[in-house]
Amino acid sequence: MKDTRGILELNKNSWEKAAERFFGRTALPEYGPLAPTENELQLLGNIYEQKVLDIGCGSGHSLQYMGDSGAKELWGIDFTKKQIETAKILLQHQKVDVQLFESPMEQNPGIPDNYFDIIYSIYALGWTVNLKQTLENIYRYLKRGGTFVFSWEHPMHDRIFYNEEVGYILNKSYNIEGPELNEAWHQEVVIYHRKLSTYINTLIETGFTIEKVIDDVALPNDHTPTQPNKWYSTEKAQLIPATFIIKASKK
């Protein structure tokens, strides 16, 4: 397995190639596949006149949502050039200050400390190769009293796979953490498997106060069956959440 620098390079190259198929997907008010939305949860609180930072901003659609909700300043960081270029085009008509950085989230490309009212990350934080460093950065960026909300794929989700003969089976250890080639990307990226407790405990160690942990499942109203061997399926979501969401604050 590559070192962290090599993993970042591999993942960046893969994202540059695949970015277009993710434009606009999994963006606020959505938190992730088969999960409740911000419209239901109201985790971000009052957005009007707030300075916000998006960690892993992708194509900028979550920042667009924040701008349309009255945010005062829109800041974003993403390590792919193609995503940042797309976000700049999408956000060019926002009538507020927009600052976008092409950079890994483990590094600070010029983001101010103790500045933001709201920081969030929608299905991006799990890409970090150094969770402690990334959370320390976010903690520094956030004002006292500020809110941090992030979502990511539930760490049990890729431990369970569909077998046509016996149904869903557990075929990977939940307890063994570390970098893994990701099946959903056909082995083209490396993602760190971390237990849910690792995210929670690292937040606490960094200084955050945990406000809420959510792993509820939101199935379509019509409960339309999907292919059970799809990466995200309603059948699988009835057994294990696809997404988890955590709200934390800096006291």
Side-chain angles (χ1 to χ4, degrees), residues 139 142-147 207-211 248-251:
Y139 189 83
L142 196 63
K143 284 181 180 178
R144 291 284 174 188
T147 295
F208 284 101
T209 298
I210 307 295
E211 303 284 349
S249 60
K250 179 177 178 178
K251 299 298 186 183

Side-chain angles (χ1 to χ4, degrees), residues 13-42:
N13 290 338
S14 293
W15 263 104
E16 295 289 7
K17 295 174 184 176
E20 291 182 6
R21 68 187 174 99
F22 291 99
F23 289 169
R25 289 174 56 183
T26 315
L28 286 171
E30 294 182 8
Y31 278 109
L34 300 164
T37 68
E38 172 61 12
N39 295 336
E40 302 165 75
L41 298 173
Q42 298 293 297

Side-chain angles (χ1 to χ4, degrees), residues 93-117:
H93 301 299
Q94 290 288 328
K95 301 185 186 304
V96 296
D97 186 33
V98 178
Q99 299 284 340
L100 301 175
F101 298 89
E102 181 189 339
S103 171
M105 63 183 78
E106 297 83 1
Q107 300 172 16
N108 181 354
I111 298 172
D113 292 347
N114 304 306
Y115 190 76
F116 296 95
D117 304 289

Side-chain angles (χ1 to χ4, degrees), residues 84-146:
I84 290 295
E85 289 176 345
T86 302
K88 286 179 179 178
I89 295 170
L90 181 72
L91 300 171
Q92 64 183 332
H93 301 299
Q94 290 288 328
K95 301 185 186 304
V96 296
D97 186 33
V98 178
Q99 299 284 340
L100 301 175
F101 298 89
E102 181 189 339
S103 171
M105 63 183 78
E106 297 83 1
Q107 300 172 16
N108 181 354
I111 298 172
D113 292 347
N114 304 306
Y115 190 76
F116 296 95
D117 304 289
I118 301 171
I119 301 178
Y120 63 89
S121 180
I122 309 302
Y123 252 64
L125 190 75
W127 286 93
T128 182
V129 298
N130 188 330
L131 181 64
K132 184 72 181 300
Q133 181 62 62
T134 295
L135 290 178
E136 286 176 349
N137 290 346
I138 293 169
Y139 189 83
R140 285 196 302 272
Y141 304 151
L142 196 63
K143 284 181 180 178
R144 291 284 174 188

